[in-house]
Amino acid sequence: MRNNIEDITKFIFIKDEPEKADIIFIPGSSNWVLAETAARLYKEDKAGKIMPSGMYFYQFGRFMNERVTDERYKGIYRTEAEFLASVLIKNGVPEENVIKEERATNTYENAIFSKELIKEMGIEVKTAILCPQAFHARRAFMTYSHLFPDTKLFVVPTNTQNITSDNWYNTERGRQVVLGELRKCGEYFENYIKDISLSQSE
């Protein structure tokens, strides 16, 4: 008998063994551990550039500085990208190798605005590492792979908010987040399918 929890877990919580890449992408977040993961990969020589993306979550209308509870990273930040860049630099990434994208307010905008900025800067991205929250891994991958169809992506997620592939179904919060991601994946992919259909009909 198939196990529904296992199937959902395998779908949502994806991860890869990273290879050498042109850039590391960090989708917008106020969670510093994503930048710590990216900084570790940078120091392991997995990529020479890192692009944190994000203005702030549109429903909040500002960066939630109060969510930064780690004393090492507290401060006043305007955007998610500014905050993540600060964490990267404090973890040994040279400022000149951090490229901030500060317009995005959701996952789709993280990817599309990052793509636009890369194009403006003339950076060629054949391979990239994506560093999302673990429960966000599938939707982030779906979105970036849709907007970077010619780029090989490696997903290197980080467990956050005490929600992991091993425990998400044990708490109400975990179930809400992961099943919410499952619904959002369907909503996002519906739009991507439309894009693909339109491009094929042209």
Side-chain angles (χ1 to χ4, degrees), residues 151-170:
T151 299
K152 185 175 182 179
L153 286 171
F154 301 95
V155 182
V156 182
T158 305
N159 289 327
T160 59
Q161 303 184 43
N162 295 316
I163 299 171
T164 73
S165 60
D166 295 323
N167 71 12
W168 68 266
Y169 47 86
N170 289 328

Side-chain angles (χ1 to χ4, degrees), residues 98-115:
V98 178
I99 307 167
K100 292 181 289 186
E101 184 295 298
E102 298 186 275
R103 298 164 55 200
T105 62
N106 58 46
T107 303
Y108 181 83
E109 290 181 356
N110 287 146
I112 191 68
F113 293 153
S114 293
K115 181 178 182 179

Side-chain angles (χ1 to χ4, degrees), residues 32-80:
W32 54 90
V33 294
L34 306 185
E36 290 177 340
T37 295
R40 173 180 57 79
L41 292 168
Y42 175 89
K43 287 186 282 189
E44 291 173 356
D45 197 32
K46 295 300 185 183
K49 300 286 185 183
I50 304 179
M51 180 175 284
S53 172
M55 181 164 57
Y56 42 68
F57 185 45
Y58 70 94
Q59 290 185 346
F60 297 148
R62 64 178 179 86
F63 179 75
M64 303 291 280
N65 285 284
E66 60 270 27
R67 290 192 169 185
V68 181
T69 56
D70 191 307
E71 291 294 334
R72 296 171 297 168
Y73 307 131
K74 281 187 175 181
I76 303 300
Y77 304 98
R78 298 176 299 105
T79 66
E80 293 169 335

